[in-house]
Amino acid sequence: MNEFLLAAAGFVLVTVALGLIRILRGPGDADRILAAQLLGTGGVAAMLLLGVATGLPGVTDLALLLALLAAFAAVAFVAGSGRGAAGGATPGVAEGGTGGEEPE
Amino acid sequence: MEASAIPTAWLAGLSAPGGVLLVVPLILPVVGLLLGLLLGGRRLGPFVFVLLSAGLAAAVVVAAAVVTGGEPMLYQLGGWSPPLGVALKADGLSVVLLLTSAVVTLGVAVYAQRDFRPPGARETRGSLAFWMLLLGVWAGLNTVALGQDLFTLFVALELLTFSAVPLVSLDGRAETLAAALRYLLFALLGSVLYLLGAVLLYGAYGTLDIGLLAVQIAAAHALPPSVLAAAALMTVGLMAKTALVPLHLWLPPAHAGAPPAASAILSALVVKGSFFLLLRIWFDLIPGLLDLPAAQALGVLGAAAILLGNLMALQQARLKLLVAYSTVAQIGYLFLIFPLAGTTSGPTWALSAGTLQVVSHALAKGSLFLAAGLIAKALGHDRIRDLAGVGRVLPITLLASGVAGLSLVGIQPSGGYLVKAALQGAAEAGGTWWWGLVLDAGGLLTAAYLLWFIGHALSGHGPHPATAKAPGRAQELVALALALGSLLLGLLPAQVFELISVGRVPPPEPIATAWAGAFHWGSLAAGLLPLLVVAVLVLAFGPWGGRRRPGPLGWPAVGAAGLGSAVGWLDARLRCWPVAGFSLLALVLTLGVGFAFGARACVT
Amino acid sequence: MTSALAVDAVLALLIFGLALWINAARTAYGAALGFMAYGLLLALVWVRLAAVDVALTEVALGAGLTGFLLLGAAARLAPDASFDAVGVSGKGSRFLIALLCAVVAVGLAAVVLVLPDPAPTLAPLVHANLARTGVGNPVTGVLMAHRAVDTLLETLVLIPALIGIWSLSSDPDWGGRPGSLPDLSSNGPLTLLAQVLPPFGILVAIHLVWVGAEDPGGKFQGAAVLAAMWVLVLVAGLGRAPRVTSQASRLLLVLGPLVFVGIGIAGVWLAGAFLAYPEEWAKPLILAIEAALTLSVALVLGLLLAGPPVADGGGVEPRP
Amino acid sequence: MSGETLFGLCGAALVGVGLFGVICQPGALRKLIAFNLLGSGVFLLFGVIAKRGGGALAAAGQGADGDPVPQALVITGLVVAFAATAIAIALLRRLAGLNDQGRSEGEPPPASRSRSDGGP
Amino acid sequence: MSLPLSRMARGVGFFGFWLLLAGPGVLDVAAGTPSGGPVAWAAELVLGLLASLAATWASLRLLPPAPGRVRFTTLARLAARFLWQSILAGVDVALRAFDPRLPLNPGYLAYPLRIRADTDRALFGAYTSLMPGTLPVGSDTNGALVYHCLDLEKPIAAGLAGDEALWRRVRMGGLGDE
Amino acid sequence: MSLTLDLFTVAAVSLGAVFFLAGTLGLLRFPDTLSRLHALTKADNLGLGLVVLGLLPQVASPLGWIGLIAVWLLALLSGATAGQLLAGAVRPPEWARLTAPGPGKDTADD
């Protein structure tokens, strides 16, 4: 079974690797970030597979972190691309704290 | 020594429980950094002063403990012994660095009280940043001095770099920002190479502790390739951080652009941190390297640095750049000790010469940069040709420059003289007279540009004393004190120099007697004579007393101008980023291959 | 083992190819994007090297925060941004340098191949001495007990780095708030993300620090997650970074290292050495240090991302 | 050939690629990215050494898989590398901002301009 | 459900997520196999409470509870629909990607969403971004939500209307409608 | 029993892998960035869900399941928002013009 899971991880990796062609070819930077996103989701899957196959502790946490930060990568891209405003027509958000606080 | 039985016992008691004393120099700047941020820029100046005074006291106590104990102090942090834990060690070398950094930093701190005191009740940018970064540099240096683990030393080096880089750009001008960026990137390149070397050593021996590694490396039949590669990588990485020619691209703009107090620290101490690590690697970690022919390469680079740096300093129109290029040259002297260490006098002797040069240059260059800062502040510029009259406005400052200059040139009884005497002696003993030639040429060139600067400062009618801004008296006195310290280094009792041999194989002849023989007043005249010749030459060519440059010059002058522009071209090329990178790669490969062949030759 | 080797080979090839592409990319922005993907791949390699702790750090710091930093800079800077616009012009010299780099790499590879076998290692020693540290994760044991001084110095390194970044403001701006982060407060989906994700991030971060004592995880990973979440909130305009002169934020900045140093100094009396822990108290003390360090490091990391201060538009007086 | 060897070679190659980039790339940002590649190569080598060391331990049946010391050091190194990148980028942005200012006086510096280009 | 209750509900939710994270550690004890003794178990539980308290605090600060009530039975229906539709969406995209003829007819569609509250609009957008063939790209000047659709032939707007109706029933007002 | 579970794992993981392949193919074949984004968000989330589902029986303790589910939930959450975020960032500048005809032809008002 472990062999199968490893093979599956390898397969997912290869598909993700194919996706990396988008990084090479673009054409736009947007397409490149898509490949990075694919790597995020695929990476989560590959890590789960590897983790269960090799029985390493903590790999679930790693996948969790990757899932959490996959969105952060998208934020980095959006912040970098300097274009926002996909949603609300009214600028600014009505609610929400505005204190300079730390996130805990 | 016999009169100090009680302090000796006290020190022995203090160092007995594993030398917990060693933690003090490590902790003081660390706690200072943390509390300093809370205190804020308004109160930071006096706080740092108090802290540094305590640090100096701690360094003196450590030094006394090491000297009286006669052997290195060791301390195992957290009670874990290497290879698992990290050890601190204070041998003669560490003590010298601890003392030097405490003294110079304290001097700079006194000097900077005036420059970095917030004018109002509120904290300003400079007042927080300068003092915090100064503490950072001090923390890095103390850790470099005491660290015994290659990775701890890496972190200490980074601490040093991260503190030093923003010091360069403290005034916020675009040029200094660019200089800081260039410094940062090149220094990072250097640290990565160093780290790579450490990684290879761990791969080969499973430990990073210098002491344990040294034992294992010494026990090896032949130096394995990983050790040779690590040595090449670490050496070149540290050379890049020390700004040895041809890897000096970052130094002149960075050191010349920083505020004077920062320049003094950068030039006097920061480059010494990485050099100190180089000493640790070559003399403690892998002493076998000193016997390899590749050690000559370091000396050749050192000689090139002396010539190039001095010739470039001679051409500078701005005082701070002149001083910065003088640093490039003086770094060269540091590297002459590597080829000379394999001679009959033994490595410890060369090491003591190198250490002395570290101290002497730190004091002299600190003083010179502080003095240059005072001059620039008083006049509003630092163009050498327009310095006329400064001598009357800032007599003490100029005196300090002159005294520091004497040490850089190597006139009796300065520390610089002792260094040169020692290096010359080693060169003659080893039959390698050409090193001596380089030393002589370097001294004469140094004398030439310093006289050029001082001559300008003394000549003519300059600004009226009232128009120039008066510097703080304390600032001038600090510059003078550091310069005098450098000059009087040679008058220290000869036994002091035995300190350096604590913890290593003593040289065949005690260092004290060797130094004692090196110094006597009779040779002062012999040292001064070439200096006088240079002085006459400078006077002859100088545009003194309103006399501008005479029209057509003879062929010697044309030749000199040609040489000057050729050297300038060479320096400009070398300081291009790609060329410096190329040099870096070439050096790594040359040293690596050189080590490999040398090691094979040694075995067969 | 063949599947495993195939996975390794794919990973190694991907990493190398991506590195080459990053070097060859036409724009810095593209290179930064590539670097983010590269970091994720590298995390997979760390899993294959049985270093999950490192993989966590790589994902959080190497790919996440560094990628954010690089992307932000690449987007703001002109393509030929300043300084040394002279790369290497000539084809010949480029080739020469490439050749030298290749020789260095080959030499390095040769050295790596001849490293002694069996490899010298400290693993058994760490294993034997782990019980005395009270924690079950050997990496945490090494970081917090055996080589505590490295960790202390490393957290300390972040402070001059932050001061260095702050020092890049102009004098009138001192006392303002960090101003390098983009402002995307009018982006609806981003706002939603910044409203929904951070609580989960906090849970994950606390979880990482807590399990770090026994399993992979620890303060740096947790702190990086917290910092990422905080930056998300800042970017979405749901919060503001503290002023550089804020005493509260400075207190939090030094809290962790101070606790560390304090416990370390207390160790001189309580456990016989600086940075040593009394054996029965080792684990609680380590956890206390880790908790305090997490807060401090998270704040530093966030502030490193947030950049030097700029003056407020509102003209609010800086706190004294 | 084992996985470790493969990654060891990969690490060495990354060092080469990174060195080339740091030396040859135009522009400080590209150099910085290449520096990060170089650093990752060094860390990877360290990771390989850790795995080799741990392998010996696992063979002896003692459980641990990977030498924790290099792993801990790599974590420290990653944090340091991040700090280095942050300083370099701050310097770079400040420098670019000053250059912009110098080029066209009167325009707001990019730090404040960036605040306004988030909106549609 | 009143406001304090909804706050508590959030706290409970975050604690539940914590249990998911800490899973083995906490639940081993419940299953009768304490791994670290009762002290460690209590410590883990207390930490979980503190962590979920912190998370709840942050959540309430970032996203104060909106007015209006939530009907949980409808929410469950919505969740089930979401799950099913997202599976359909995956299958739909996969079939198109595998089809050699690449049957795509992409285009934009403006859906006049009547939900006004920003958060709810964004939530609705996130929800529909995983539905078959729709991906919200932003709001136009009239306040309509603009979708990028893979296949304009499909009755997309009708599906969206159904989703919106269900959404409305869950939220029972408080959407800032026109 | 174990065989059944193993078979279930093989089936679910393989199906998940197929969806990953679909996502990649979509990323490579679809004509424009937004269409590629569809492929990415939808196919990959399903693929990940199937992989998680397939791995559940392989986790030693049933309590380890929930960690996996937490991963999937978080991935779903960030996938949903990130997809929308990216869509907003990568939409071509002419998207507003494309929608100019006003409400879609078969827009239903309720």
Side-chain angles (χ1 to χ4, degrees):
Chain A
M1 180 44 71
N2 283 350
E3 193 71 9
F4 167 75
L5 293 180
L6 272 178
F11 180 81
V12 171
L13 268 184
V14 170
T15 52
V16 166
L18 282 177
L20 287 183
I21 293 176
R22 273 281 163 232
I23 285 212
L24 309 189
R25 292 233 324 258
D29 288 326
D31 301 292
R32 302 207 163 95
I33 193 68
L34 291 191
Q37 286 285 308
L38 171 69
L39 199 57
T41 333
V44 171
M47 266 177 202
L48 288 177
L49 288 167
L50 282 178
V52 174
T54 54
L56 273 179
V59 177
T60 316
D61 287 334
L62 181 57
L64 198 67
L65 192 65
L66 206 54
L68 195 69
L69 291 178
F72 191 68
V75 173
F77 175 78
V78 175
S81 73
R83 291 182 28 197
T90 47
V93 183
E95 319 96 328
T98 49
E101 309 294 335
E102 282 71 45
E104 75 285 311
Chain B
M1 289 280 170
E2 59 276 357
S4 57
I6 296 168
T8 310
W10 177 70
L11 284 170
L14 202 59
S15 55
V20 76
L21 184 60
L22 287 189
V23 175
V24 178
L26 191 72
I27 281 302
L28 275 178
V30 169
V31 172
L33 262 177
L34 298 175
L35 294 183
L37 192 59
L38 289 182
L39 272 180
R42 277 179 305 150
R43 282 167 295 216
L44 216 43
F47 173 69
V48 173
F49 174 75
V50 171
L51 208 62
L52 278 165
S53 309
L56 182 59
V60 168
V61 173
V62 171
V66 168
V67 170
T68 52
E71 58 183 30
M73 286 166 79
L74 268 175
Y75 187 71
Q76 296 174 349
L77 288 166
W80 301 99
S81 60
L84 196 55
V86 173
L88 298 180
K89 176 176 155 188
D91 56 5
L93 213 54
S94 326
V95 165
V96 172
L97 185 62
L98 275 183
L99 281 172
T100 312
S101 60
V103 167
V104 176
T105 319
L106 187 61
V108 168
V110 172
Y111 176 95
Q113 294 292 338
R114 192 180 152 104
D115 287 359
F116 292 99
R117 190 175 45 205
R122 272 211 243 114
E123 168 186 298
T124 56
R125 185 180 66 95
S127 65
L128 182 77
F130 175 79
W131 294 111
M132 291 292 287
L133 296 171
L134 188 69
L135 284 174
V137 168
W138 187 38
L141 283 169
N142 280 359
T143 318
V144 164
L146 295 173
Q148 194 58 9
D149 182 279
L150 290 177
F151 191 81
T152 307
L153 289 170
F154 165 76
V155 180
L157 270 183
E158 294 302 63
L159 184 56
L160 208 52
T161 305
F162 292 172
S163 308
V165 167
L167 277 177
V168 168
S169 61
L170 215 50
D171 71 353
R173 285 178 299 125
E175 305 98 270
T176 60
L177 286 167
L181 187 57
R182 181 177 266 246
Y183 173 25
L184 176 63
L185 285 178
F186 209 66
L188 287 178
L189 193 54
S191 352
V192 169
L193 291 186
Y194 169 84
L195 184 64
L196 186 53
V199 166
L200 291 181
L201 285 178
Y202 188 91
Y205 295 107
T207 175
L208 289 168
D209 182 78
I210 291 182
L212 293 177
L213 278 172
V215 170
Q216 297 200 46
I217 291 174
H221 169 60
L223 293 176
S226 49
V227 172
L228 298 175
L233 289 165
M234 292 171 112
T235 302
V236 176
L238 292 171
M239 267 159 47
K241 288 188 104 126
T242 316
L244 177 65
V245 168
L247 306 178
H248 65 298
L249 79 165
W250 57 268
L251 191 144
H255 286 191
S263 298
I265 283 290
L266 293 170
S267 228
L269 296 178
V270 173
V271 286
K272 307 294 164 39
S274 43
F275 176 73
F276 188 82
L277 271 188
L278 211 50
L279 290 183
R280 280 261 182 259
I281 289 170
W282 280 68
F283 287 84
D284 288 353
L285 184 64
I286 324 176
L289 292 178
L290 290 168
D291 302 326
L292 300 183
Q296 304 290 326
L298 264 62
V300 171
L301 293 180
I306 293 174
L307 294 178
L308 184 76
N310 281 331
L311 283 172
M312 283 306 293
L314 202 49
Q315 301 183 35
Q316 297 306 314
R318 282 186 46 219
L319 181 57
K320 289 193 75 179
L321 268 172
L322 179 146
V323 184
Y325 268 107
S326 155
T327 299
V328 172
Q330 294 285 325
I331 287 169
Y333 289 104
L334 295 173
F335 282 83
L336 286 188
I337 69 167
F338 292 99
L340 295 178
T343 55
T344 46
S345 314
T348 304
W349 210 67
L351 189 63
S352 55
T355 317
L356 193 59
Q357 164 71 3
V358 166
V359 180
S360 166
H361 177 245
L363 294 170
K365 195 46 67 70
S367 162
L368 211 49
F369 260 123
L370 295 184
L374 287 175
I375 291 172
K377 195 171 178 192
L379 296 184
H381 71 84
D382 67 341
R383 294 184 300 276
I384 297 172
R385 282 185 183 277
D386 301 331
L387 287 185
V390 167
R392 283 180 302 142
V393 186
L394 302 170
I396 300 179
T397 306
L398 210 61
L399 179 63
S401 316
V403 172
L406 285 181
S407 182
L408 290 181
V409 175
I411 298 296
Q412 304 234 32
S414 69
Y417 170 73
L418 286 186
V419 174
K420 280 186 190 158
L423 291 175
Q424 298 247 8
E428 278 160 26
T432 47
W433 49 270
W434 53 85
W435 299 124
L437 220 55
V438 172
L439 286 170
D440 285 337
L444 291 183
L445 287 170
T446 311
Y449 60 73
L450 285 171
L451 283 171
W452 175 252
F453 144 57
I454 290 176
H456 272 290
L458 287 176
S459 73
H461 308 283
H464 193 267
T467 62
K469 280 183 227 127
R473 183 50 51 93
Q475 294 187 306
E476 288 195 287
L477 288 179
V478 166
L480 186 61
L482 289 178
L484 283 175
S486 180
L487 184 70
L488 301 181
L489 214 52
L491 294 181
L492 285 177
Q495 284 79 12
V496 172
F497 299 111
E498 296 289 354
L499 177 66
I500 293 158
S501 62
V502 170
R504 54 190 76 245
V505 186
E509 178 187 24
I511 294 176
T513 47
W515 288 123
F519 171 69
H520 63 100
W521 289 104
S523 59
L524 178 61
L528 279 181
L529 193 62
L531 194 65
L532 283 176
V533 176
V534 172
V536 169
L537 277 176
V538 169
L539 282 177
F541 281 106
W544 321 115
R547 181 164 61 89
R548 302 313 292 182
R549 185 179 287 277
L553 289 166
W555 61 265
V558 173
L563 177 68
S565 60
V567 170
W569 178 85
L570 179 67
D571 180 66
R573 294 306 298 168
L574 283 179
R575 294 203 298 111
C576 279
W577 182 276
V579 178
F582 176 81
S583 316
L584 186 97
L585 290 174
L587 277 176
V588 169
L589 289 174
T590 313
L591 281 185
V593 172
F595 287 157
F597 276 108
R600 180 171 300 168
C602 279
V603 171
T604 52
Chain C
M1 270 330 266
T2 47
S3 314
L5 193 59
V7 170
D8 290 354
V10 168
L11 271 176
L13 277 179
L14 274 181
I15 295 247
F16 181 62
L18 201 51
L20 281 181
W21 181 82
I22 289 171
N23 245 349
R26 269 191 301 114
T27 64
Y29 198 76
L33 280 176
F35 186 78
M36 260 182 142
Y38 174 87
L40 297 180
L41 281 177
L42 218 49
L44 283 168
V45 173
W46 286 113
V47 173
R48 290 297 303 141
L49 290 174
V52 180
D53 288 277
V54 184
L56 286 166
T57 319
E58 180 71 48
V59 168
L61 264 183
L65 297 188
T66 307
F68 189 90
L69 210 53
L70 292 175
L71 272 183
R76 297 269 170 267
L77 296 174
D80 59 335
S82 59
F83 164 74
D84 263 342
V86 275
V88 177
S89 44
K91 267 230 167 74
S93 45
R94 274 180 87 93
F95 177 75
L96 191 61
I97 290 174
L99 192 70
L100 286 188
C101 290
V103 173
V104 169
V106 169
L108 202 56
V111 169
V112 171
L113 285 179
V114 300
L115 280 179
D117 205 22
T121 172
L122 290 179
L125 205 56
V126 174
H127 210 62
N129 284 290
L130 196 57
R132 270 178 64 197
T133 68
V135 294
N137 177 2
V139 177
T140 304
V142 170
L143 278 175
M144 297 307 297
H146 305 145
R147 304 185 64 102
V149 69
D150 286 353
T151 312
L152 175 61
L153 284 175
E154 173 202 8
T155 49
L156 204 72
V157 160
L158 296 174
I159 289 179
L162 179 63
I163 299 286
I165 289 180
W166 282 358
S167 80
L168 294 173
S169 67
S170 60
D171 282 320
D173 288 347
W174 192 256
R177 297 176 192 277
S180 288
L181 289 177
D183 178 8
L184 296 173
S185 53
S186 55
N187 186 322
L190 180 67
T191 306
L192 178 69
L193 195 64
Q195 287 171 323
V196 175
L197 208 56
F200 293 99
I202 291 173
L203 288 176
V204 170
I206 296 177
H207 171 69
L208 280 176
V209 177
W210 172 247
V211 301
E214 301 299 326
D215 288 321
K219 64 202 156 308
F220 291 123
Q221 297 87 340
V225 172
L226 280 185
M229 292 303 122
W230 187 40
V231 165
L232 185 58
V233 169
L234 295 180
V235 167
L238 295 176
R240 288 203 288 173
R243 298 176 183 286
V244 290
T245 45
S246 152
Q247 202 63 28
S249 93
R250 287 187 183 182
L251 189 63
L252 193 56
L253 274 176
V254 300
L255 174 73
L258 268 185
V259 168
F260 204 165
V261 174
I263 291 179
I265 292 177
V268 174
W269 286 277
L270 301 179
F274 178 62
L275 290 174
Y277 313 104
E279 209 161 314
E280 62 274 26
W281 286 99
K283 185 169 180 184
L285 286 178
I286 286 179
L287 280 174
I289 296 172
E290 290 236 313
L293 275 184
T294 307
L295 296 179
S296 298
V297 173
L299 184 60
V300 177
L301 293 179
L303 288 174
L304 286 179
L305 284 176
V310 294
D312 294 332
V316 187
E317 278 296 301
R319 263 184 266 164
Chain D
M1 174 166 286
S2 69
E4 292 97 77
T5 319
L6 217 53
F7 289 133
L9 296 181
C10 183
L14 288 179
V15 169
V17 172
L19 274 175
F20 177 78
V22 172
I23 294 171
C24 281
Q25 287 287 355
L29 186 59
R30 297 301 294 272
K31 284 188 188 0
L32 195 61
I33 295 175
F35 160 74
N36 273 300
L37 290 181
L38 173 59
S40 72
V42 175
F43 293 144
L44 196 55
L45 283 178
F46 218 3
V48 168
I49 284 167
K51 183 75 191 331
R52 284 162 43 91
L57 190 64
Q62 284 182 291
D65 202 10
D67 184 347
V69 174
Q71 294 180 2
L73 299 185
V74 168
I75 291 176
T76 306
L78 278 170
V79 177
V80 172
F82 173 76
T85 310
I87 300 183
I89 289 212
L91 270 170
L92 195 55
R93 289 184 65 160
R94 174 75 178 159
L95 196 54
L98 285 181
N99 285 350
D100 280 3
Q101 253 177 343
R103 226 172 279 149
S104 55
E105 279 299 338
E107 227 181 278
S112 60
R113 198 178 57 206
S114 73
R115 299 209 137 260
S116 63
D117 56 1
Chain E
M1 199 161 67
S2 60
L3 280 183
L5 263 182
S6 87
R7 281 183 189 152
M8 273 181 64
R10 273 198 213 185
V12 170
F14 286 127
F15 189 67
F17 188 79
W18 171 267
L19 289 183
L20 287 186
L21 291 179
V26 176
L27 297 177
D28 274 358
V29 176
T33 55
S35 51
V39 177
W41 180 70
E44 186 131 1
L45 213 60
V46 168
L47 186 76
L49 284 175
L50 288 178
S52 36
L53 217 61
T56 313
W57 174 80
S59 170
L60 289 173
R61 212 183 152 87
L62 294 170
L63 184 63
R69 294 164 46 189
V70 175
R71 190 183 285 161
F72 281 96
T73 47
T74 332
L75 187 63
R77 264 184 62 202
L78 190 74
R81 181 182 161 88
F82 171 75
L83 204 63
W84 178 241
Q85 292 287 323
S86 64
I87 292 174
L88 286 187
V91 173
D92 170 61
V93 148
L95 288 179
R96 288 174 200 274
F98 282 124
D99 194 318
R101 288 175 294 119
L102 210 61
L104 290 179
N105 180 18
Y108 292 89
L109 176 134
Y111 176 73
L113 186 67
R114 285 171 53 208
I115 298 173
R116 277 282 162 265
D118 285 321
T119 309
D120 284 275
R121 282 178 78 90
L123 266 177
F124 187 76
Y127 168 83
T128 47
S129 78
L130 287 178
M131 296 293 101
T134 54
L135 188 65
V137 296
S139 295
D140 70 7
T141 41
N142 306 323
L145 209 50
V146 179
Y147 283 90
H148 179 265
C149 308
L150 271 186
D151 193 349
L152 282 176
E153 308 289 310
K154 290 276 179 79
I156 289 167
L160 287 174
D163 284 327
E164 193 188 357
L166 200 56
W167 194 265
R168 245 161 222 298
R169 281 213 289 289
V170 172
R171 289 286 275 112
M172 291 177 62
L175 291 173
D177 287 8
E178 301 167 317
Chain F
M1 185 60 194
S2 157
L3 184 67
T4 328
L5 289 181
D6 279 2
L7 279 181
F8 172 74
T9 298
V10 170
V13 170
S14 307
L15 199 59
V18 168
F19 277 101
F20 272 105
L21 185 62
T24 302
L25 276 181
L27 187 64
L28 294 181
R29 292 185 69 204
F30 284 6
D32 60 308
T33 309
L34 281 169
S35 303
R36 290 174 201 142
L37 192 53
H38 278 273
L40 201 66
T41 48
K42 293 173 182 121
D44 283 9
N45 271 323
L46 186 55
L48 183 61
L50 283 169
V51 167
V52 166
L53 195 67
L55 283 178
L56 290 184
Q58 298 300 320
V59 180
S61 113
L63 302 160
W65 289 12
I66 32 196
L68 289 180
I69 294 176
V71 172
W72 182 63
L73 284 179
L74 208 53
L76 207 60
L77 176 69
S78 60
T81 35
Q84 200 188 355
L85 202 58
L86 285 176
V90 308
R91 64 191 181 208
E94 64 273 16
W95 69 284
R97 192 171 46 75
L98 286 170
T99 63
K105 49 185 183 291
D106 54 355
T107 299
D109 258 351
D110 85 325

